Each structure stands twice: as structure tokens, then as C-alpha cells.
Amino acid sequence: MAIIGVACIIKHLIAESIAMTSLSLLAAAIVLVGQPITSVPGPDMKITELREVAYEELMDGQTEAAVSVIEAELAERPGDPALLINLGSAYLRQGRAAEAATLFQQAADSRVRYDLELADGRWMDSRRAAKLAQVNAGGRMLLASR
């Protein structure tokens, strides 16, 4: 009988311990609700995302097709620096230098910022690429390949 009594006491203590642990976890969860979620920065990760920026059309000299593709993409991703740079380059080919300069400036001023792979294989910050496109507007074009 003493063994059964000890077993009942242990069973009761375990049940009480589980209940207290559950209440503690519930209390902690209630405290955390509404708190901002933070993360600890880990090692820098390079993420390469391929996007349609009419690079192929521009490289093939299909300026009208490039403008159509880029304008459609800009409707989905307004302010995308790569699109703005490539549309500016297409406009330069069409002799629309003032509109190209406006697009390059928009890309340089954009809140969106990322690294672009240029047509020559270099990687460059989108704002720097936009400024370089402005400088090169009179000469060779600067194209973002992605």
C-alpha cells in the first residue's frame, strides 16, 4: 500500500509539475504577444535573383521590344532600378535623352537598392550604376543584365 501511495503522490506531483510548466509557458507566451520579432544577424548571404529586365532584347538591338517588356515589368515592379536603367538605355537608343536622364535619376534616387550584374560582367550597386549610366549617357550604354 505504501508503494501505491508513493506512486499516487508521484503521479500527482508530475501532473502538478506539468500544469505549472504549461502555465509558465502560457504566461511567457502572453508576455511575448505583441512584442517585435527580432533576429540575430548571421553570416552575409549572397542571393542572386534573375529578373526580366529586357537584357536580351537590348543586346539583340530590339529596342521597341525591350521598351514594351520593360514598361510591362515596371507596372509590376515600379521603381525597380534595373528596369529604370535599362529603359533609360532603350530611350537613349531612340534619341529620347531627356526621358533617359529622368529614368537614370529615378534609379539613383530609388529607395530600392541592390547589386546589379552589368552587361560587362561587373557587379555594382544599383545607385552607383544609375549614376554611371547618367555619366555615360553621351557615350556607351550601361545595361543591367539582371
Side-chain angles (χ1 to χ4, degrees):
M1 178 130 162
I3 293 176
I4 293 174
V6 171
C8 287
I9 290 171
I10 291 173
K11 181 179 171 186
H12 178 70
L13 289 174
I14 291 172
E16 190 174 296
S17 175
I18 291 172
M20 291 301 291
T21 302
S22 297
L23 286 174
S24 297
L25 290 173
L26 180 60
I30 290 170
V31 169
L32 291 176
V33 171
Q35 297 297 315
I37 297 173
T38 60
S39 64
V40 177
D44 290 340
M45 293 176 44
K46 266 289 200 216
I47 298 173
T48 302
E49 181 179 338
L50 299 178
R51 293 184 172 185
E52 175 61 67
V53 291
Y55 174 76
E56 296 296 327
E57 290 86 347
L58 287 168
M59 292 304 292
D60 290 341
Q62 301 172 9
T63 306
E64 295 299 323
V67 169
S68 295
V69 168
I70 295 169
E71 287 175 345
E73 289 293 320
L74 272 172
E76 297 293 318
R77 298 189 323 258
D80 183 289
L83 293 171
L84 294 171
I85 291 168
N86 282 5
L87 185 57
S89 295
Y91 282 177
L92 281 176
R93 285 185 180 177
Q94 294 176 331
R96 300 162 65 180
E99 292 170 276
T102 299
L103 293 170
F104 295 145
Q105 189 60 52
Q106 288 175 3
D109 295 340
S110 176
R111 292 187 317 160
V112 177
R113 180 180 190 168
Y114 50 82
D115 287 338
L116 299 174
E117 182 179 11
L118 305 181
D120 64 7
R122 289 181 296 158
W123 285 87
M124 186 177 293
D125 175 83
S126 57
R127 290 181 185 164
R128 185 166 177 245
K131 290 178 193 285
L132 186 60
Q134 287 174 318
V135 169
N136 291 333
R140 64 184 175 86
M141 286 187 298
L142 179 77
L143 298 178
S145 67
R146 47 176 121 194

